[in-house]
Amino acid sequence: STRTAFRIGFLATLGAMFAYGLVHAVLLTKSVLVLLLVSAFLAIGLNPLVELLQKRAHLTRPRAVATVLAMVLLAFAVFLVAIVPPIVDQTTQLVDKGPSYLDQLLRNRTIKRIDEQSHVIAKAKTALQSPALAANVFGGVLGVSKAVFGAVFSAITVLTLTLYFMSSLPAMKRAAYRAVPRSRRETVAYLADDILERIGGYVAGALGIALIAGTTTCLLLIVLGVPPPVALALVVMVTD
């Protein structure tokens, strides 16, 4: 009985250590796992468009994947061209006109009384007029470099993985189906294809709704004369 208790305790300890190590490994690689999941989701969502180009335009799968990838890159480039200049312009205006905005706040008696005690407005003016404002916001030059490098690396990683998943999705499906027993292979293939098709339909529907929301917002902003309409409409599209 002593040996049995020792064996049970030893196995339980090994199991706990393995579980702890597994959780620790997942936490260490969570950013990589997120990139993998995002890339796989994008590949599955864009797969119906790839198959549509194969059927309607009679393109081979590599050419259809390249066409879809070019469309995604073009859309991303248009988004950057439309959104970056207004952000830079509005940020510059905020920094330049920030002190005058803060002076206007002093017209409020409550804010003026608080400022007389803590000098919040003066500190805010000093921060806005500081040449190192952007660096301080992002944690210094090293922080800015790390943020930019991380964003670029993540974007390239997602793009590369999405391209790989889209190109090899049929082969990956065949390999997965071969791992299933022959008696259940047809059922599993049917269910898996149906799930993938529904995911693609969901992505297509989400893109359609986002396009409608962005177009409606852009037209409304143009009618109301709110600048910049295209950039704000794109923000609505992305966040919809």
Side-chain angles (χ1 to χ4, degrees):
S1 58
T2 305
R3 291 184 177 180
T4 303
F6 176 78
R7 185 177 301 174
I8 293 175
F10 180 73
L11 292 177
T13 303
L14 285 179
M17 292 176 61
F18 176 77
Y20 174 79
L22 183 62
V23 171
H24 187 65
V26 170
L27 291 177
L28 288 177
T29 59
K30 61 181 180 180
S31 58
V32 178
L33 293 177
V34 169
L35 293 179
L36 283 172
L37 291 175
V38 170
S39 302
F41 185 80
L42 289 176
I44 294 172
L46 294 173
N47 186 61
L49 182 57
V50 174
E51 293 180 349
L52 181 65
L53 290 175
Q54 287 182 269
K55 294 178 181 178
R56 299 292 178 87
H58 303 290
L59 297 177
T60 61
R61 186 167 185 89
R63 291 186 177 182
V65 169
T67 303
V68 172
L69 182 63
M71 293 169 61
V72 172
L73 291 176
L74 179 61
F76 184 69
V78 171
F79 176 79
L80 289 180
V81 170
I83 201 74
V84 171
I87 290 177
V88 174
D89 180 63
Q90 294 297 318
T91 304
T92 303
Q93 289 188 27
L94 177 62
V95 174
D96 293 340
K97 298 181 180 180
S100 63
Y101 294 154
L102 294 173
D103 289 334
Q104 294 177 14
L105 289 176
L106 291 175
R107 297 175 184 176
N108 185 281
R109 294 181 180 179
T110 304
I111 295 179
K112 185 176 181 180
R113 185 171 62 254
I114 295 174
D115 181 65
E116 289 176 353
Q117 297 174 356
S118 58
H119 306 289
V120 176
I121 301 298
K123 293 178 182 178
K125 284 184 179 180
T126 303
L128 285 174
Q129 294 171 349
S130 174
L133 175 62
N136 292 332
V137 170
F138 289 98
V141 177
L142 182 59
V144 174
S145 302
K146 288 175 63 177
V148 173
F149 178 78
V152 172
F153 177 78
S154 297
I156 294 176
T157 302
V158 169
L159 182 64
T160 304
L161 291 174
T162 303
L163 177 62
Y164 171 75
F165 286 145
M166 281 197 301
S167 301
S168 52
L169 185 59
M172 293 169 65
K173 288 165 57 178
R174 289 193 298 268
Y177 296 159
R178 282 197 296 267
V180 179
R182 188 180 298 273
S183 59
R184 300 179 181 178
R185 188 173 300 171
E186 185 176 352
T187 303
V188 172
Y190 173 78
L191 292 175
D193 290 339
D194 186 61
I195 292 172
L196 295 177
E197 185 178 352
R198 290 179 183 274
I199 294 176
Y202 167 78
V203 174
L207 290 176
I209 294 174
L211 182 61
I212 294 173
T215 304
T216 306
T217 303
C218 184
L219 294 176
L220 180 61
L221 294 177
I222 291 174
V223 171
L224 296 177
V226 179
V230 177
L232 294 176
L234 287 173
V235 172
V236 172
M237 279 185 62
V238 173
T239 57
D240 184 69

